Amino acid sequence: MLDPIVNFITRIFHWIGRGVGFVIGIILWPFMWVGRWYLQRSLILKAVLGGIVAVIVAMYGYFFYVTQFWTNFNPDYPAALVDTRGTAGAGDPVTPAAISATVGGEPAPTCKPSAIALTSADLIDFNVNQNAWISSMVLSKVGLLGIEWRNTPFFDNKAAFQLGINQVMRRTTTELVDTLGRVRGTSQIDQNLQNARTNLAWSETAWYIGWRGPTRPTPSLYREAIKNLRDFNDSLQKCQSTFDARADNLMQFLDRIAGDIGSTSDILRQRIEASDAGWFDVRADDRFWFAYGQLYAYYGVLVAARSDFASVIAERNLTTLWTRMEGQLRASLDVQPWIISNGNESSAFFPSHLATMGFNLLQVRSNIVELRSILDR
């Protein structure tokens, strides 16, 4: 009685096995054909082709390494600024503990350098020296069989994080050039800051060869921006440059940051509305890590701004509110899910990490708007 049933089940599994084998055979056939072709070639051709394959494998191995391992990632990196904050603002005369240089027999004047410029230089250094700049790497540009990495679940998180930081650096250097690094209407643009802004405006994906021929890769320009910012600070420390730490300049700087954060929160909102695929939304991770990179950079920049505008913040009684904003920024950096999910907000199984990040962005923006409104009174 059981024999027909057993035979039927056996046949089913037999055909399933043959079907699986057929599919695997189709997948492996190109590789088997290439292998047979390779074995029939001459020794010299084998060596050349083997070398090319070895180089490609090594490049992908390096690409995998730099995209998966983040060097010196530390959400508490602004701690050193807090310890040396003081009460003087950027550009204010200070008395060093020991003065060796003299001018005409008198101690050389010394001014406080800008913490914003220092933090910006350090963040760019973190992006292109301590870590490899991924967006301009040739394998990043090639993608996965021609598909951009951001459209796949692989190798795009760190690149998005770096681009988020870079967005903040572009915004910050623009504000340093236009308002903070000059006395409005009465002084020229500082050349070091102008050079930094120009260098950071370079394409984020430039390699050694572009559509128009040989070009400069992105990291080389960004490394020059580091030098530009540090040269500005050296000049400021010698009281040869300007940092205009006025309340209206701080208010405008906060306006620009609030607008930048608001724009990113809108990008997250659009992605939330476009998909609720949960763990399977391959575009959610780059959105999340871009926003995270912005918060990571703005945390340092705003801690630095508190140092550069120390007198303004003290005069307007902003210390408590500023401290609260810094605390919220730092708390938002604790959200580091291993896999990003863009699920329905009411789902019990697919969390919405984009909604969490959007809430953190809007919370920080709300504090910045409140600070701005107090400065405007």
Side-chain angles (χ1 to χ4, degrees):
M1 181 68 181
L2 294 177
D3 287 345
I5 298 176
V6 172
N7 290 335
F8 177 73
I9 294 175
T10 302
R11 288 179 182 179
I12 290 176
F13 280 106
H14 173 73
W15 285 107
I16 290 175
R18 291 190 64 178
V20 171
F22 180 74
V23 172
I24 294 176
I26 292 176
I27 295 174
L28 294 181
W29 179 83
F31 299 97
M32 296 172 65
W33 182 88
V34 170
R36 287 193 297 268
W37 179 89
Y38 177 77
L39 291 174
Q40 295 171 4
R41 300 307 102 183
S42 66
L43 185 61
I44 295 177
L45 186 57
K46 286 181 181 179
V48 172
L49 293 177
I52 293 173
V53 171
V55 169
I56 294 175
V57 170
M59 290 175 64
Y60 269 101
Y62 176 71
F63 185 67
F64 172 81
Y65 173 79
V66 298
T67 55
Q68 302 306 307
F69 296 93
W70 301 24
T71 303
N72 294 331
F73 172 83
N74 178 20
D76 292 313
Y77 71 95
L81 285 176
V82 176
D83 296 337
T84 60
R85 183 172 284 157
T87 57
D92 289 347
V94 295
T95 303
I99 302 177
S100 57
T102 60
V103 177
E106 297 295 330
T110 303
C111 295
K112 184 180 177 181
S114 167
I116 293 177
L118 172 65
T119 300
S120 298
D122 288 346
L123 283 167
I124 301 169
D125 180 74
F126 168 72
N127 256 357
V128 298
N129 289 330
Q130 299 173 38
N131 293 274
W133 180 256
I134 295 169
S135 296
S136 66
M137 294 177 67
V138 64
L139 290 183
S140 177
K141 298 167 73 67
V142 169
L144 178 64
L145 302 177
I147 303 172
E148 293 186 33
W149 289 113
R150 65 180 181 175
N151 294 329
T152 75
F154 315 108
F155 300 149
D156 61 345
N157 290 354
K158 187 177 178 181
F161 171 74
Q162 290 179 321
L163 292 173
I165 292 177
N166 201 54
Q167 171 73 13
V168 175
M169 294 301 95
R170 287 177 166 179
R171 166 56 55 200
T172 302
T173 51
T174 296
E175 295 307 311
L176 284 169
V177 171
D178 291 342
T179 56
L180 304 181
R182 60 193 292 238
V183 178
R184 188 178 304 171
T186 61
S187 68
Q188 295 181 346
I189 292 175
D190 185 275
Q191 193 58 49
N192 283 316
L193 294 178
Q194 174 65 17
N195 291 341
R197 177 171 68 176
T198 301
N199 287 326
L200 284 174
W202 193 257
S203 171
E204 294 171 321
T205 60
W207 191 53
Y208 293 94
I209 299 175
W211 290 110
R212 299 181 180 178
T215 185
R216 295 188 63 185
T218 302
S220 66
L221 275 296
Y222 290 178
R223 291 186 183 106
E224 289 185 9
I226 298 172
K227 183 179 184 301
N228 298 145
L229 289 167
R230 289 175 177 167
D231 286 347
F232 165 75
N233 249 357
D234 290 342
S235 179
L236 184 61
Q237 193 166 14
K238 297 173 184 176
C239 305
Q240 296 172 354
S241 294
T242 300
F243 189 96
D244 196 11
R246 297 192 322 225
D248 59 334
N249 284 344
L250 177 58
M251 182 175 68
Q252 180 171 319
F253 189 35
L254 293 176
D255 266 343
R256 299 291 192 271
I257 295 175
D260 202 16
I261 291 176
S263 177
T264 301
S265 66
D266 188 58
I267 292 173
L268 294 180
R269 179 190 60 79
Q270 292 177 14
R271 191 61 202 168
I272 291 171
E273 293 176 352
S275 172
D276 59 356
W279 310 106
F280 305 101
D281 184 356
V282 298
R283 299 298 301 274
D285 55 348
D286 57 285
R287 298 290 195 275
F288 178 92
W289 286 107
F290 179 85
Y292 191 99
Q294 277 194 310
L295 289 180
Y296 186 92
Y298 273 135
Y299 179 40
V301 168
L302 286 168
V303 169
R306 181 172 175 178
S307 174
D308 286 353
F309 291 90
S311 58
V312 172
I313 291 172
E315 289 171 6
R316 299 298 182 93
N317 296 318
L318 297 175
T319 302
T320 301
L321 184 56
W322 202 286
T323 300
R324 187 176 72 186
M325 176 188 64
E326 289 179 357
Q328 289 177 342
L329 264 168
R330 176 59 188 85
S332 68
L333 298 179
D334 287 332
V335 183
Q336 302 174 27
W338 186 54
I339 301 176
I340 307 302
S341 171
N342 180 26
N344 189 291
E345 295 179 47
S346 61
S347 173
F349 302 101
F350 298 102
S352 180
H353 294 128
L354 295 191
T356 301
M357 177 57 70
F359 172 78
N360 289 334
L361 286 168
L362 292 176
Q363 192 174 37
V364 171
R365 185 179 184 275
S366 176
N367 277 271
I368 292 174
V369 170
E370 187 175 357
L371 285 166
R372 190 255 183 229
S373 66
I374 294 174
L375 287 167
D376 196 29
R377 292 173 186 170

